[in-house]
Amino acid sequence: MTEESKTLRSRFGLVATVLVWAVCAATLVSMGVYGYWLQLLRFGPLVLLAAFLMWLLFWSPSVTIGLAGVEVRNLLRRHDISWPAVEGVETKYALTIETTAGKVTAWAAPAPSRFAGLRAAGQARPVGPEFGAHGGSVVRPDAMLKDDSARIRSRDLRGLPESTFGPGGSIRPSDIPTSDSGLAALYVRRYWEELRDAGYLDSGRVEGTGVRTHWLRGEAAVLAALAAITVLCLALVR
């Protein structure tokens, strides 16, 4: 059992955010270089608002798995889930943790598109039942619970946690570790099953609901301030 925490974010979201930030920075710099000070004053806050929204939507959301539980950080809220409160994990549309207090969906771990999911499933190599408790086409992560998760390859699909599989050893494309939802589900299920098998969850005791939700006031305040400044600049600066 590893005691190190693991934080996951959408890989597409990171790339998209960097690209949009680059465009925003180039826009602001070009207006300053060419002396468009009035336009910079009028549209600068709008550009900053767009950059912040990209960070809020695609970079800030994350899933952190650790010994204390799972932390799901979405747009303006953070959910802290204790391990005894976890009842199951789903990936149909995104990583969804079923708890004693209801379902918590992770913005940072969306399921792959239908095309991407079918392509990943088509690359799966059928293996014999000796490679998995359920047989069928399964997936094995390369270097489980390590930072080099990018080395996971669908060509060697075996050894996923038991709770990954459905009837007859079936597996959804959204559970394949090459997807954001599948990779996050892999870490959550593996940690959860290790704790369960070690007997740490035998008591079944859940403190309170087992899920604590916090509003991200700092992010909300910045968003409100940028939105207000943007409206004022667009309305007043001519």
Side-chain angles (χ1 to χ4, degrees), residues 122-145:
Q123 292 173 349
R125 178 171 61 86
V127 296
E130 67 272 15
F131 294 118
H134 297 267
S137 297
V138 296
V139 296
R140 178 179 67 83
D142 228 350
M144 185 85 67
L145 291 176

Side-chain angles (χ1 to χ4, degrees), residues 8 16 21 27 33 61 74 84 91 111 121 123 155 167 188:
L8 302 171
W21 279 2
T27 301
V33 168
N74 288 331
T91 60
Q123 292 173 349
R155 65 171 177 263
V188 173

Side-chain angles (χ1 to χ4, degrees), residues 19-36:
L19 291 177
V20 170
W21 279 2
V23 172
C24 290
T27 301
L28 295 175
V29 170
S30 64
M31 284 192 287
V33 168
Y34 290 104
Y36 298 129

